[in-house]
Amino acid sequence: MRTLVAAFTLFAATSLGFAADPTRDALWAAVRNEDPKAVKAALEKGADVNAANEIGITAIWIAGGKKNVEVVDLLLKAGADPTARDAIWYMTPLGEAVGEGNLEMTKLLLKAGAKDVDAALLLAAAMKNLKVLTVVADTGKVSQDALDAALYAAKTEPKPASDVIERLVKAGAKPLPAIPEKERETWKSFAGTYESDGGGKTTVAVKDVGIVSRSRYGNLVLRHRDKDTFVSIGVPSETVTFVRSGNKVDRLVHQRFTAETSYFRAEAKPLAKPVAVAGVNDLGGKVTAPSNWPQFRGPDATGIADGQNPPISWDVKAGTNVRWKTPIPGLGHSCPVVWGNRVFVTTAVSANPDQKVRIGNYGDVESVNDTSKHAFHVICLDRDSGKILWDKVPIVAVPKIKRHQKGSQANCTPTTDGKRVVACFGPEGLYCYDFAGKLLWKRDLGTIDSSFTLDREYEWGFGSSPIIFDNLVILQADLSHDSFVAAYSLEDGSRVWSTPRDEIPSWSSPAIWRTGGREELVTNAAQYARGYDPATGKELWRLAKKSEVTIPAPVVSADRVIVCSGNRPIQPIIAVKPGAAGDISLKPGEKSNASVAWGRMRGGPYMATPILYRGYLYVLSNAGILTCHAAETGAEVYKERVGGTSYTASPVAADYRIYLTSEQGEVRVVKAGPDFHLLAVNKLDDYCLATPAISNGTLFVRSQHYLFALGKPTVK
């Protein structure tokens, strides 16, 4: 239900790593476990009942979304603040309790002085929970606006709840007044369907009461404030501003406290159809020289393989431009890597055959807890035939942590130096093989746990891929506690250096940035992006970002590295110049400084790492919106909906074209450059969340069940 609470803002939108505090951690663990005795013991040992992390989470905030009233009572008696509000979703314990439909918890928090009663009433009405609504209404603290807005929403539901309507009227709710027709006439251009980059949708209509937004959580009414800005009746902390491009309205910006989300007109124009573009569609099938793809996103993590000429189109069913298709057992989202005539992938095969992945855009934070034994595989295939050359199982075990519904127990892409291949299975360990399949060494990483930032109960699995630099294997581990970045010897797996990080869970992979005469290890995470000396682990610079969840990897080029993320409270895209030192964070209102070429606080991607290619930065949203920026300035060049429902895989590029792989197994090919041209849409007939690899005229795509080699048969 926490997801519903988070999403019950105007529109559907989408434990931290900090200094150790044993008493606080014991209190929070007891609250999560709903254990009153443990809560009491932690409080008696001196735990600060109002201790908050960097985004305002406190013990009672966590407890509000649970079921144990006794725990909340203990916290309140110890002085817990019932009005505590986090800085990501801006929810309070009362909002959590109402979202869970917990009547007794709601009563207790209201009695203790919880103040966000208007939002609580609207949420209870949307959920058609008469008992909770009655308790909130009986406080006598609900505003007339909230009562009237709740009544309108209840009456206009497809299936109105008569008991809820009756109770609202009894509490004093009145019909909203009609807005003069002349004023409503000026708002007609705002009407339409809007969709966010993350896939959230809302429909805006002009009714007699004014602007009404319709999402899957019901009807909400907006009151005109000034110019093109409106405020939600009953929730004054939420505003909507319609943004015009010339005389047309092309998007709206929803703001709740300091968090903003942009929604773009879904019906602005029809989806582009594939077209032929001279000089791009037919490059003769030539490969300048076969190149390697040794890690996540290929050479230096750029995602670029010019001169490899992969196909633009193929047909899996007909076999056209399909060189081979090899079944891969189990479940894994790690990407293929290629060196010479070898292709490597990893997977996890559960003893439970019913392993599923939930695709699409959704806000459900639940974990998948498969307690069956898993066999963790490292597989080597022949590049040209797809034949499995060897298949090694370094460990068979029950996974130490759960996985996200969209994830797997084999998320991390392996890496190779041409002699050895290193595979990471998170808490199941780090393993190094030679090209003949001999295990050279293994490293126990402990129970490294990357959980949902706001509640460790929801474990999402480990997702950072290792990289090789000189004779080191470098791993970024941003965890629920004790985050670090470390380097291990490629020869024997011994630890060479390890640097602690004051970070919250992140799922980004590091990259080596070679520029300005020096080499840097760049990491991207929720609190900060950082540059390190890769030989020693010494921090060189840091850049504050403050985003709840960070997944995209750093994007490197000769003259800048771009770091971004797409979750709340901001969605930054920031370009860092070479030679940075110290704290280079942008100050409020700044868009650049001595070390930052440019920065944008909106528009960053949530899942897919952008690609910087031939002077342009391409950012792909979860919902399939491709935005092209000028790499030099960050200026937006175009924004186009490419089609497809959801995207996790990162774009890759080769020979003036960009490949975009949707979760539904459709690979769209787009012409590189300032003008948008869709060249092809190719179907794999299987789910796909892994980023493709490119080498020797071939696009290697790992789907849920297969590894595809897509290329012209004549390529040698």
Side-chain angles (χ1 to χ4, degrees), residues 121-196:
L121 180 88
L122 287 164
L123 179 56
M127 296 176 64
K128 301 180 182 178
N129 191 321
L130 179 62
K131 292 182 178 179
V132 172
L133 182 143
T134 298
V135 168
V136 176
D138 283 348
T139 62
K141 298 178 181 179
V142 180
S143 72
Q144 189 65 48
D145 273 352
L147 286 168
D148 297 348
L151 179 62
Y152 179 87
K155 283 185 174 182
T156 54
E157 280 291 310
K159 295 181 179 179
S162 58
D163 55 351
V164 169
I165 293 171
E166 183 179 345
R167 187 62 188 81
L168 288 168
V169 172
K170 183 179 179 181
K174 300 176 182 178
L176 290 169
I179 301 297
E181 184 177 357
K182 183 178 180 180
E183 189 171 358
R184 283 185 277 133
E185 188 69 24
T186 64
W187 301 337
K188 284 188 176 181
S189 61
F190 301 148
T193 300
Y194 297 80
E195 184 176 0
S196 72

Side-chain angles (χ1 to χ4, degrees), residues 65-269:
K66 304 294 183 180
K67 297 179 180 179
N68 198 301
V69 177
E70 186 179 352
V71 167
V72 171
D73 190 40
L74 283 170
L75 295 173
L76 289 170
K77 288 178 178 176
D81 180 6
T83 67
R85 189 186 296 275
D86 75 274
I88 298 293
W89 287 340
Y90 301 101
M91 293 303 303
T92 63
L94 178 61
E96 294 283 302
V98 172
E100 290 293 334
N102 193 321
L103 181 62
E104 295 305 314
M105 189 85 75
T106 301
K107 288 180 180 178
L108 190 61
L109 289 165
L110 287 169
K111 184 179 179 181
K115 296 178 180 179
D116 56 334
V117 291
D118 283 357
L121 180 88
L122 287 164
L123 179 56
M127 296 176 64
K128 301 180 182 178
N129 191 321
L130 179 62
K131 292 182 178 179
V132 172
L133 182 143
T134 298
V135 168
V136 176
D138 283 348
T139 62
K141 298 178 181 179
V142 180
S143 72
Q144 189 65 48
D145 273 352
L147 286 168
D148 297 348
L151 179 62
Y152 179 87
K155 283 185 174 182
T156 54
E157 280 291 310
K159 295 181 179 179
S162 58
D163 55 351
V164 169
I165 293 171
E166 183 179 345
R167 187 62 188 81
L168 288 168
V169 172
K170 183 179 179 181
K174 300 176 182 178
L176 290 169
I179 301 297
E181 184 177 357
K182 183 178 180 180
E183 189 171 358
R184 283 185 277 133
E185 188 69 24
T186 64
W187 301 337
K188 284 188 176 181
S189 61
F190 301 148
T193 300
Y194 297 80
E195 184 176 0
S196 72
D197 284 352
K201 292 183 179 180
T202 187
T203 300
V204 173
V206 180
K207 302 289 186 179
D208 59 347
V209 296
I211 296 283
V212 177
S213 76
R214 173 74 188 177
S215 72
R216 59 186 174 130
Y217 301 100
N219 287 324
L220 295 177
V221 187
L222 307 178
R223 176 176 290 155
H224 187 228
R225 190 178 73 182
D226 57 68
K227 296 183 179 178
D228 291 341
T229 298
F230 295 75
V231 62
S232 175
I233 296 179
V235 190
S237 59
E238 299 191 20
T239 62
V240 169
T241 300
F242 293 91
V243 180
R244 301 175 187 270
S245 178
N247 294 325
K248 295 182 178 180
V249 176
D250 64 357
R251 71 183 187 273
L252 62 82
V253 178
H254 167 238
Q255 182 169 352
R256 185 166 192 249
F257 293 91
T258 60
E260 289 185 5
T261 305
S262 292
Y263 291 76
F264 301 87
R265 279 197 183 273
E267 72 278 17
K269 54 180 160 179

Side-chain angles (χ1 to χ4, degrees), residues 570-595:
I570 60 173
Q571 300 86 39
I573 309 175
I574 303 174
V576 179
K577 302 176 185 177
D583 190 337
I584 64 170
S585 302
L586 293 170
K587 296 177 181 179
E590 279 189 340
K591 295 183 178 180
S592 64
N593 60 30
S595 296

Side-chain angles (χ1 to χ4, degrees), residues 297-538:
R297 301 188 69 246
D300 286 333
T302 60
I304 300 170
D306 277 342
Q308 298 306 293
N309 195 36
I312 290 176
S313 60
W314 57 86
D315 188 325
V316 169
K317 290 184 178 180
T320 306
N321 285 343
V322 179
R323 303 185 68 192
W324 49 261
K325 170 185 174 184
T326 300
I328 303 295
L331 183 63
H333 299 330
S334 59
C335 312
V337 297
V338 185
W339 193 286
N341 64 348
R342 296 288 187 268
V343 180
F344 300 95
V345 293
T346 64
T347 189
V349 181
S350 171
N352 175 6
D354 189 27
Q355 287 289 292
K356 296 179 179 178
V357 173
R358 183 180 174 188
I359 65 169
N361 296 313
Y362 51 87
D364 194 345
V365 299
E366 292 287 343
S367 307
V368 175
N369 186 21
D370 182 359
T371 57
S372 67
K373 284 189 175 180
H374 284 55
F376 294 85
H377 293 245
V378 181
I379 302 173
C380 175
L381 303 93
D382 180 81
R383 182 196 64 192
D384 298 324
S385 68
K387 178 183 177 181
I388 293 179
L389 301 177
W390 50 261
D391 182 351
K392 303 299 180 180
V393 181
I395 184 173
V396 177
V398 175
K400 294 178 183 177
I401 60 175
K402 306 170 189 175
R403 66 172 173 87
H404 193 281
Q405 297 173 83
K406 196 187 285 285
S408 73
Q409 292 291 354
N411 292 322
C412 309
T413 297
T415 184
T416 178
D417 69 342
K419 297 178 181 179
R420 293 152 290 198
V421 59
V422 179
C424 179
F425 294 105
E428 273 62 58
L430 192 66
Y431 302 89
C432 180
Y433 289 87
D434 66 17
F435 269 34
K438 179 183 177 181
L439 180 64
L440 301 178
W441 54 263
K442 59 183 179 180
R443 177 94 192 181
D444 184 356
L445 299 172
T447 307
I448 50 179
D449 169 21
S450 297
S451 300
F452 177 36
T453 309
L454 301 184
D455 195 334
R456 290 186 204 170
E457 175 185 341
Y458 304 106
E459 296 172 349
W460 287 354
F462 189 78
S464 182
S465 299
I467 62 172
I468 292 175
F469 169 76
D470 287 347
N471 205 37
L472 300 175
V473 179
I474 299 177
L475 185 67
Q476 174 182 343
D478 293 329
L479 313 170
S480 298
H481 54 82
D482 301 327
S483 299
F484 66 92
V485 59
Y488 305 94
S489 167
L490 188 56
E491 297 295 333
D492 59 14
S494 60
R495 189 172 67 188
V496 177
W497 56 259
S498 181
T499 302
R501 287 161 61 83
D502 50 334
E503 267 303 341
I504 68 177
S506 300
W507 289 263
S508 176
S509 299
I512 297 295
W513 185 23
R514 309 175 195 275
T515 182
R518 78 178 186 185
E519 295 166 316
E520 295 183 21
L521 171 70
V522 182
T523 64
N524 191 22
Q527 298 286 81
Y528 297 94
R530 296 173 173 87
Y532 295 91
D533 180 343
T536 65
K538 178 184 178 181

